[in-house]
Amino acid sequence: MGECKSSSYMLTNIACILLITVILAPLVSATGGGAVIEVSTIQLSEMDTFENSDLEVPFTIVEQSGIDADIEVNVLISTLEGTVLHNLSTNYTILASGSTPINYSFPNMPYGFSNLIVTMTGDTGTIDSNYVTEFNRTIQRLRPAQLSIEEITIIPVNSAGTPTGNESIRDGDYAIFSASVENLGDLQWSSNIEVYIVGQDIIESHQTSATFAAATVTTTQFYSSSQFNESNSNISSHFSVNISISSPPPSQSELFQISTFEVGPPPLARIDMDLLHLNPDVNAGGIALWNLSIENNGDIDYIGTITCIFSGGEIEYSNSIDLPPGNNTTISISASARPGILSCQTEGQRIWDDSISPVSSTLSMTAAAFEAAGSATPAALGGPWHKGDVATFSMLVRNHGDSDGMVQLRCEINGIVSLSESLSLAIDAAGEVSVAIQMITTGQNQVNWSLVSSNGAIDAGLEGVLNIPISDQQSIAPQISIVEWSSAQGISFTWQVELDTGVEREVQLRLGYELGGSETYPFDSIISVYPGMTTGQYVIGHVDAENVVIRVNSVNWTLGPGPTSATKSVPSQRPAYSIQLNPLSSPRDPTEGDETSITVEISNTGLVDGNSGQLFLVDASGNLLAQSETEILLSEEEKDIILSIVWPSGSDVTLTAKWSIGQQIVTSSQSYSSGVTVSSAQSYDIPWIGMISGIAIAGAVILVMRLKNASKENTSTSPQRKDRTAKTTKTVTKSKTTASSNDRKVQVGCPECARQLRVPASYSGKVRCPDCSTRFDVTSRDEPRQEEEVEEIVEQEKKEISCPDCAQSLMVPTDYAGSVRCPACKVVFKANSE
């Protein structure tokens, strides 16, 4: 029973052990797995770099033994100095023969280097070259580009880019601007680098592209295209240079550097002088002597002028010298002794400001002394001035010294010195000194003036500068506005002379005319003209001329640019005079001794008015029979002049009319027939009976004819007729010929001289040519026409006039105003004389 009981406990214990074994079997199996890190899946390499702030750590764990493996992974990140940045542990179960990818992300990683250690503990497998259970890496987070412009270097060079050796920029230099840019980051950066140069009148810019490598210094150079100069005030010019990165890294908003520099003077000579007076006991008027020592302690040769001036601006010595650096020379100077100061200085080349120049020496002695007696500056006389004018500078001075002396006024303009006549003044005497200078430059002219004396002192302040404004030369413009020709005056013209703004001037004015290229000036005189327009009229008279001319010349002043003469053509229009003797005299056939009227027709067919004149009537022997004044004939005007003469003897009388107008004489001749003159000296018996009988018969015939005419007039004139005017009518038949119109005329030519005469178309008979007195026949030009029937023809309206001599009545056309001859007594009279 005891054995049974112990066997039973044994079985129970075995069963419990088996049960426990079964329960614990998985645990024993787990510890048997093998987990490792696959090397090929580790993406971080030794010294790997990254830019972002987050660090990614990826890798894969695999199980090798076919049994699940439980592991713990620890990731430790620390600085190189040992400071822990991240420490992370994580448990994983890797399934049998499986793989698990792992990825850790760590934020806010610092810039620079860090240590990464990954370890795996637990059910780990076998390690070899492909599988590990731990790894470590040194990693680096890259810093972004960080640029810094370290410095700007300025290198003086010449125009060819070769360094001049000057320590700083000097006048006339060019420059190389060098900029050093350092990249403090771990990444390179590319951008444009720009430079701006500003100063005086220079604005210059340059640009170039550059790549700035990580943790390096990059140097960029720029060559200036402008030459740098000092300012005109001899104060060093200030310039600024701004160098900037046009596209800075994102972490930098602006990136620039400004540097300033000054332009100094060019290399200069340094002249040190010393003036030693050799005879300090010299008297006024004597010769004072000095030695001038000159030494060049500068950088370059001194090639300039040494000038010594005594009080008052008088130059005692002026000469050029060439003095290399480190050399010296001595110059002897002499001057007329008088109280004053001798001053010596350099001219023509700039020297260092610390040079010993100028130097001076003072003379003191008993002598004349001069002061201003009025204004302390000379008076400028004669203005305002124009180029070429003479300006006079005058000044009153007085001798207030201890002895007599000589004084002059010295004026210098544009390097030309003018001196007044020497004025000798006794003690306390005063006088005037003056200088006349022709001003030849326009604009503001500086006149350097001073009082100078060879044996006297000049008070301080008696020197200075006068600014004299000089205008451009005055120009004068001659013109001719109107040229006229008249019968009374001949040629005349209106002239103008326009003077520019300025002062009154004297000019030589010449007025005349031109013919065949030769000029004649009847008027030649000196006149004064004022600024603006001066006008006048000049009558040349009756001369042959093609043009009228005006010419001006300046008198004692300089004429400005522009024409000095003007011409204008003479009008060609002239009066055209003609004269004609009327071939009919009044009476028609006068006898010797009769009072006879001769009509002379004068005319002006030209385009201009004529002139008054005289009309003469002479016979064939040249005897003056009558004369008359003629008034002015207007253009295209005609006039009849009636001259009364006593008829000369002869059967044919030739009369000549001579018309004198100005310098012209126009003539016309005409022959007239004289009537028969019964001699009263012959004795005969008067046939009284025959005469009485004849008179009675003639009276009876005339009475019958008058009564007959009166009867016709009464039948043809209406009772309402006024002013003794009537219209006559007549009838014609078919067989009768109608007469041509009474007022129609035709032209016929004289067979001797070819003159054209106008005669009535119906006239047939003899006519006489008024020019050559030839008589010839003319025939009627009217063609008779047949009327088919009797018709009434209304003729021109007529009026009745009476002869002023015998009261004979005549019928003439109403509008007729010419001369008629009385059929009874042969008297010629005007039809409109009533």
Side-chain angles (χ1 to χ4, degrees):
M1 191 148 175
E3 291 177 358
C4 293
K5 224 174 167 192
S6 61
S7 293
S8 174
Y9 280 126
M10 183 177 292
L11 291 172
T12 301
N13 289 335
I14 292 171
C16 289
I17 291 169
L18 291 173
L19 179 63
I20 291 170
T21 301
V22 171
I23 294 171
L24 294 178
L27 296 176
V28 175
S29 176
T31 56
V36 291
I37 299 172
E38 189 174 2
V39 174
S40 63
T41 63
I42 302 173
Q43 296 184 11
L44 290 178
S45 60
E46 178 65 18
M47 301 301 294
D48 206 352
T49 60
F50 62 97
E51 297 181 17
N52 295 328
S53 62
D54 294 342
L55 174 64
E56 301 291 332
V57 184
F59 56 89
T60 300
I61 301 175
V62 297
E63 200 284 317
Q64 295 176 325
S65 63
I67 301 174
D68 292 346
D70 293 324
I71 59 169
E72 180 183 4
V73 176
N74 178 258
V75 179
L76 177 65
I77 301 175
S78 63
T79 65
L80 296 180
E81 290 79 14
T83 302
V84 176
L85 300 175
H86 296 281
N87 189 359
L88 179 64
S89 294
T90 308
N91 292 318
Y92 297 97
T93 297
I94 310 302
L95 298 179
S97 302
S99 64
T100 301
I102 305 298
N103 186 19
Y104 288 96
S105 180
F106 299 98
N108 302 320
M109 289 294 294
Y111 293 111
F113 292 93
S114 300
N115 283 329
L116 170 68
I117 300 175
V118 178
T119 59
M120 187 175 62
T121 60
D123 297 331
T124 59
T126 303
I127 62 175
D128 56 25
S129 61
N130 296 318
Y131 300 98
V132 295
T133 58
E134 65 177 27
F135 66 88
N136 63 74
R137 300 283 190 270
T138 300
I139 58 175
Q140 179 186 12
R141 181 185 175 187
L142 298 178
R143 291 170 296 178
Q146 185 73 24
L147 304 183
S148 173
I149 302 175
E150 295 300 313
E151 64 176 336
I152 299 175
T153 304
I154 303 174
I155 305 171
V157 296
N158 57 23
S159 59
T162 303
T164 61
N166 295 329
E167 295 181 358
S168 61
I169 299 294
R170 305 287 287 271
D171 184 78
D173 284 348
Y174 294 80
I176 294 176
F177 299 95
S178 177
S180 297
V181 180
E182 183 179 6
N183 184 358
L184 301 176
D186 298 318
L187 298 174
Q188 73 175 19
W189 189 259
S190 296
S191 175
N192 287 334
I193 181 168
E194 299 173 343
V195 59
Y196 294 92
I197 307 166
V198 179
Q200 281 190 359
D201 57 350
I202 295 176
I203 299 177
E204 192 175 312
S205 64
H206 301 273
Q207 177 176 290
T208 186
S209 60
T211 298
F212 307 103
T216 59
V217 175
T218 302
T219 301
T220 305
Q221 289 187 335
F222 301 90
Y223 289 81
S224 71
S225 58
S226 302
Q227 187 178 38
F228 298 99
N229 299 295
E230 289 184 280
S231 64
N232 294 331
S233 60
N234 290 330
I235 299 175
S236 296
S237 303
H238 291 267
F239 289 83
S240 65
V241 180
N242 184 354
I243 294 181
S244 62
I245 306 298
S246 61
S247 300
S251 61
Q252 296 177 277
S253 58
E254 288 184 310
L255 190 57
F256 64 90
Q257 182 76 24
I258 296 177
S259 178
T260 60
F261 65 93
E262 296 180 358
V263 177
L268 301 173
R270 179 178 284 105
I271 301 300
D272 297 329
M273 296 192 298
D274 181 51
L275 187 60
L276 177 62
H277 187 198
L278 301 178
N279 55 341
D281 297 331
V282 65
N283 295 322
I287 301 298
L289 301 174
W290 291 269
N291 277 344
L292 176 64
S293 299
I294 308 169
E295 185 176 3
N296 181 4
N297 295 314
D299 305 321
I300 61 173
D301 290 0
Y302 176 75
I303 304 174
T305 302
I306 302 297
T307 301
C308 296
I309 300 176
F310 210 31
S311 296
E314 185 176 0
I315 297 177
E316 303 295 345
Y317 177 87
S318 181
N319 208 347
S320 298
I321 66 169
D322 186 350
L323 192 63
N327 285 263
N328 61 74
T329 187
T330 300
I331 297 173
S332 297
I333 300 171
S334 62
S336 177
R338 72 268 191 190
I341 298 174
L342 177 68
S343 177
C344 297
Q345 62 185 9
T346 61
E347 291 181 353
Q349 180 177 318
R350 185 179 172 187
I351 60 175
W352 279 106
D353 293 339
D354 58 357
S355 297
I356 304 176
S357 175
V359 292
S360 61
S361 175
T362 302
L363 287 184
S364 300
M365 62 190 67
T366 300
F370 298 99
E371 64 180 359
S375 173
T377 58
L381 308 177
W385 301 273
H386 295 259
K387 182 179 179 180
D389 289 348
V390 173
T392 300
F393 302 92
S394 176
M395 189 174 185
L396 293 175
V397 294
R398 188 177 74 88
N399 180 8
H400 66 95
D402 302 323
S403 64
D404 298 348
M406 307 284 290
V407 66
Q408 290 176 287
L409 176 62
R410 179 184 185 275
C411 292
E412 180 267 327
I413 180 172
N414 297 327
I416 300 175
V417 176
S418 300
L419 287 171
S420 69
E421 296 290 334
S422 295
L423 176 63
S424 178
L425 292 178
I427 299 174
D428 292 329
E432 179 186 15
V433 286
S434 63
V435 175
I437 302 176
Q438 186 178 29
M439 312 305 289
I440 58 175
T441 304
T442 58
Q444 288 288 341
N445 281 248
Q446 286 191 344
V447 179
N448 299 301
W449 69 272
S450 61
L451 288 179
V452 295
S453 173
S454 60
N455 56 4
I458 305 297
D459 283 6
L462 295 182
E463 60 184 15
V465 176
L466 294 176
N467 290 310
I468 306 298
I470 306 298
S471 302
D472 290 333
Q473 295 167 314
Q474 283 178 277
S475 293
I476 192 166
Q479 298 178 357
I480 297 174
S481 56
I482 300 173
V483 182
E484 296 177 322
W485 186 95
S486 68
S487 299
Q489 294 182 322
I491 300 173
S492 64
F493 63 93
T494 301
W495 55 269
Q496 299 172 344
V497 173
E498 185 176 6
L499 180 64
D500 281 350
T501 302
V503 298
E504 172 191 0
R505 297 292 188 180
E506 282 193 342
V507 298
Q508 179 190 24
L509 177 65
R510 307 178 74 191
L511 304 173
Y513 58 93
E514 179 185 24
L515 179 64
S518 177
E519 296 180 354
T520 302
Y521 295 100
F523 182 89
D524 190 339
S525 181
I526 305 297
I527 67 170
S528 295
V529 294
Y530 295 86
M533 190 73 72
T534 301
T535 62
Q537 189 174 29
Y538 182 65
V539 179
I540 297 178
H542 293 278
V543 297
D544 289 333
E546 298 170 351
N547 302 297
V548 293
V549 183
I550 179 174
R551 188 175 295 278
V552 291
N553 297 311
S554 59
V555 177
N556 297 326
W557 61 284
T558 303
L559 189 61
T564 58
S565 65
T567 63
K568 200 164 188 176
S569 59
V570 176
S572 59
Q573 293 84 3
R574 297 288 185 275
Y577 299 114
S578 63
I579 184 173
Q580 180 66 48
L581 279 169
N582 195 316
L584 297 178
S585 63
S586 180
R588 171 95 180 219
D589 297 314
T591 59
E592 181 180 359
D594 286 352
E595 184 80 18
T596 306
S597 296
I598 300 297
T599 301
V600 182
E601 300 172 356
I602 60 174
S603 65
N604 173 16
T605 59
L607 299 178
V608 295
D609 296 342
N611 196 7
S612 60
Q614 285 188 318
L615 185 63
F616 302 95
L617 188 63
V618 298
D619 60 13
S621 299
N623 298 317
L624 180 63
L625 302 179
Q627 70 179 54
S628 174
E629 300 291 333
T630 59
E631 298 178 351
I632 293 175
L633 276 185
L634 303 179
S635 173
E636 299 182 350
E637 183 182 10
E638 297 181 355
K639 282 187 179 180
D640 288 345
I641 306 297
I642 299 177
L643 300 176
S644 296
I645 63 173
V646 177
W647 195 254
S649 62
S651 58
D652 287 326
V653 175
T654 300
L655 301 181
T656 299
K658 298 183 179 181
W659 187 18
S660 176
I661 323 100
Q663 297 180 339
Q664 187 176 1
I665 297 178
V666 186
T667 63
S668 176
S669 296
Q670 181 67 47
S671 294
Y672 299 88
S673 296
S674 300
V676 179
T677 303
V678 180
S679 176
S680 60
Q682 183 180 0
S683 62
Y684 61 91
D685 293 332
I686 299 175
W688 294 105
I689 297 175
M691 289 177 60
I692 294 172
S693 299
I695 291 172
I697 294 171
V701 172
I702 290 172
L703 179 60
V704 171
M705 292 181 65
R706 281 202 166 188
L707 291 175
K708 190 174 182 179
N709 290 336
S711 175
K712 290 181 178 180
E713 289 175 5
N714 289 335
T715 60
S716 61
T717 306
S718 64
Q720 290 80 15
R721 188 186 66 173
K722 296 180 181 180
D723 298 330
R724 299 182 62 83
T725 63
K727 287 186 180 178
T728 62
T729 63
K730 43 181 159 172
T731 60
V732 293
T733 64
K734 244 186 210 186
S735 59
K736 288 193 82 170
T737 301
T738 61
S740 301
S741 176
N742 291 335
D743 59 347
R744 189 170 73 88
K745 294 184 178 181
V746 296
Q747 285 189 343
V748 296
C750 174
E752 184 66 24
C753 65
R755 172 164 178 177
Q756 297 296 312
L757 308 177
R758 291 177 61 83
V759 298
S762 60
Y763 177 74
S764 295
K766 289 186 176 293
V767 295
R768 184 175 60 178
C769 176
D771 287 350
C772 62
S773 301
T774 300
R775 295 178 181 274
F776 58 94
D777 292 328
V778 296
T779 58
S780 172
R781 303 293 179 90
D782 277 350
E783 294 291 337
R785 61 187 179 92
Q786 301 296 325
E787 298 294 340
E788 294 298 327
E789 59 184 0
V790 177
E791 62 179 355
E792 183 175 307
I793 300 175
V794 180
E795 294 185 337
Q796 186 179 5
E797 185 177 288
K798 294 185 178 181
K799 65 180 179 180
E800 182 178 341
I801 60 174
S802 299
C803 173
D805 194 29
C806 65
Q808 172 69 37
S809 295
L810 294 88
M811 298 297 292
V812 297
T814 304
D815 57 353
Y816 180 72
S819 298
V820 297
R821 182 190 295 274
C822 178
C825 63
K826 308 302 183 183
V827 172
V828 177
F829 61 93
K830 290 286 187 180
N832 59 354
S833 60
E834 292 188 356

